[in-house]
Amino acid sequence: MDINSYHVFFFLFLHSLTILKADTSIREPINLELLLARTGEGYLTSFPEECSTILNRFADASSNFTKCSILHARPIRICSRCIEQYMQFKTIYDELLTTIVNGTSCKSIFISHDRLDAVLEYHDNILSIWDKGHCNTCFNWSDKVPVLSNETKLFNEKFNETMACIMKYIDPSTNDTQPVCENCMQSYIQLDNYYKTLSDDAIGVDSICMDVVDSMNATRSIWSKTLNCCKIRRTPEIIFLCCTGIISALPIFYYLVLRYFSPMRDLPNVLKQSRFKQTILRSLGRTN
Ligand SMILES: *[C@@H]1O[C@H](CO)[C@@H](O)[C@H](O)[C@H]1NC(C)=O
Ligand SMILES: *[C@@H]1O[C@H](CO)[C@@H](O)[C@H](O)[C@H]1NC(C)=O
Ligand SMILES: *[C@@H]1O[C@H](CO)[C@@H](O)[C@H](O)[C@H]1NC(C)=O
Ligand SMILES: *[C@@H]1O[C@H](CO)[C@@H](O)[C@H](O)[C@H]1NC(C)=O
Ligand SMILES: *[C@@H]1O[C@H](CO)[C@@H](O)[C@H](O)[C@H]1NC(C)=O
Ligand SMILES: *[C@@H]1O[C@H](CO)[C@@H](O)[C@H](O)[C@H]1NC(C)=O
Ligand SMILES: *[C@@H]1O[C@H](CO)[C@@H](O)[C@H](O)[C@H]1NC(C)=O
């Protein structure tokens, strides 16, 4: 089938359509020729150059952020290390949404046009990682450029202090962690207490910046599991529990004694009676 017969076929086809439909399809043949001229593209009109450029930069920004977040996934430093990539990603996405070229918005070309919706899907995935880590709470957003918030900075200082202390006193040649526990107890407790002030619940997963949560989690794990420093505090606890146990058992002892040594049962009454009598007698004697 050569080109001419193809055209003829199409013309006949369109002609039958125009019989059924309104005359809006009269312009179709021109675009169809365009389509045939640009074989393979599958669109009647090509995208504005500017939109393609923005899409290209958006792709770069997304992959920059993705790379950064994968590289800083363990230990989690995604929020503090990838803020630059995140801001670029946000800026370019906003540009993509708002740019309009000759009456065609770039958004209408790339977003929500099909079921896959890849551009929007990648955008949402990146936002979801960022939000899941509560990364916004790591930063002070009062200026145009976000900076680490005072809380995050202070936590990092205390965290560094504790880590430096542990590194200083740990001795890999022995299993004895006593020196580390004793020397770093102060800074560890300070760090732990400061962390607890950052959130209402002790774990803090639901509101604190994930970089901070992860640092604290790692420190707690090192402190109690690797160094086994919690056993130092266990002894006073056992003494306390024993004392509490003995004291709370005292009433039971008292009643058991009363129950099984029957002569004692009557004793209080005897005492009371005799003491009562004596007092009366004594007071009578005094008035006389
Ligand atoms: C992506 O990262 C590269 C290398 O760090 C940088 O040169 C480029 O400007 C970044 N692109 C965007 C869109 O942020
Ligand atoms: C916008 O349209 C005009 C004519 O309609 C054309 O000359 C111009 O190049 C177009 N601009 C862009 C950015 O495509
Ligand atoms: C945020 O930063 C500004 C200026 O750097 C400062 O004045 C403000 O106290 C900070 N806010 C918090 C909550 O740290
Ligand atoms: C945060 O730190 C900045 C600079 O260190 C200081 O000016 C500001 O007062 C602090 N804000 C708060 C709320 O502590
Ligand atoms: C903590 O230590 C790391 C490296 O060990 C350093 O990059 C970081 O700036 C330090 N942070 C503070 C708040 O001192
Ligand atoms: C440390 O403890 C492990 C097992 O708990 C033991 O195999 C190892 O010999 C100990 N090392 C030293 C230096 O005591
Ligand atoms: C803390 O770390 C442990 C393993 O080290 C992990 O199983 C746990 O999920 C972590 N918790 C949080 C809140 O990140």
Side-chain angles (χ1 to χ4, degrees):
M1 200 191 271
D2 68 329
I3 294 285
N4 277 342
S5 59
Y6 195 64
H7 272 210
V8 168
F9 173 77
F10 246 111
F11 190 76
L12 287 175
F13 175 69
L14 286 170
H15 206 71
S16 65
L17 270 184
T18 46
I19 295 166
L20 293 171
K21 287 176 76 183
D23 59 354
T24 46
S25 55
I26 271 170
R27 277 176 179 272
E28 284 284 290
I30 303 162
N31 282 336
L32 273 175
E33 273 183 68
L34 228 166
L35 168 64
L36 291 173
R38 296 172 51 85
T39 46
E41 290 283 356
Y43 286 105
L44 298 186
T45 50
S46 59
F47 309 144
E49 187 72 28
E50 215 179 323
C51 289
S52 302
T53 312
I54 295 176
L55 189 70
N56 204 347
R57 283 170 49 223
F58 177 71
D60 280 345
S62 301
S63 46
N64 278 0
F65 177 83
T66 308
K67 182 177 179 187
C68 178
S69 58
I70 290 174
L71 291 182
H72 292 106
R74 277 207 68 79
I76 302 175
R77 295 292 179 272
I78 291 176
C79 307
S80 46
R81 298 284 159 81
C82 304
I83 181 70
E84 229 169 82
Q85 285 85 341
Y86 177 75
M87 292 307 287
Q88 250 162 21
F89 160 82
K90 284 275 282 185
T91 313
I92 295 174
Y93 186 72
D94 282 346
E95 215 176 298
L96 186 68
L97 289 189
T98 53
T99 303
I100 294 171
V101 183
N102 269 1
T104 312
S105 77
C106 298
K107 180 189 174 200
S108 73
I109 297 172
F110 299 124
I111 291 172
S112 300
H113 247 308
D114 50 70
R115 285 215 225 159
L116 186 57
D117 216 353
V119 175
L120 189 64
E121 195 70 16
Y122 279 113
H123 167 263
D124 289 353
N125 279 337
I126 288 176
L127 273 199
S128 139
I129 290 268
W130 190 258
D131 288 344
K132 215 167 152 190
H134 301 285
C135 284
N136 282 348
T137 59
C138 307
F139 297 97
N140 178 344
W141 294 85
S142 56
D143 289 335
K144 269 185 188 161
V145 181
V147 290
L148 279 183
S149 71
N150 286 5
E151 281 97 356
T152 314
K153 274 191 227 155
L154 198 55
F155 177 85
N156 283 345
E157 271 167 33
K158 289 175 190 293
F159 173 71
N160 268 14
E161 207 176 285
T162 308
M163 277 304 165
C165 179
I166 290 176
M167 296 309 280
K168 184 177 166 194
Y169 286 104
I170 201 164
D171 184 0
S173 65
T174 75
N175 279 350
D176 184 18
T177 57
Q178 197 80 3
V180 185
C181 300
E182 277 168 11
N183 287 302
C184 304
M185 177 76 80
Q186 195 68 22
S187 49
Y188 174 75
I189 288 175
Q190 269 185 10
L191 178 74
D192 200 45
N193 286 344
Y194 183 68
Y195 179 80
K196 283 177 190 154
T197 65
L198 296 179
S199 157
D200 293 336
D201 81 300
I203 310 167
V205 253
D206 56 343
S207 56
I208 306 180
C209 161
M210 201 50 99
D211 289 10
V212 170
V213 173
D214 191 64
S215 301
M216 192 66 230
N217 195 22
T219 316
R220 280 175 176 165
S221 169
I222 289 173
W223 190 254
S224 59
K225 291 206 189 108
T226 315
L227 298 174
N228 208 6
C229 286
C230 292
K231 69 174 190 285
I232 291 181
R233 279 199 287 187
R234 207 166 287 153
T235 335
E237 261 167 29
I238 286 171
I239 292 171
F240 172 75
L241 286 178
C242 287
C243 291
T244 318
I246 290 170
I247 290 171
S248 48
L250 278 182
I252 298 171
F253 278 122
Y254 177 72
Y255 285 111
L256 285 180
V257 165
L258 285 190
R259 171 86 175 71
Y260 289 108
F261 295 86
S262 41
M264 301 270 281
R265 221 178 343 181
D266 300 331
L267 203 57
N269 281 339
V270 175
L271 282 178
K272 247 188 229 162
Q273 277 180 4
S274 58
R275 213 183 279 154
F276 184 61
K277 260 184 206 163
Q278 280 175 3
T279 7
I280 290 181
L281 286 176
R282 222 180 275 149
S283 57
L284 281 176
R286 239 178 248 161
T287 46
N288 282 348

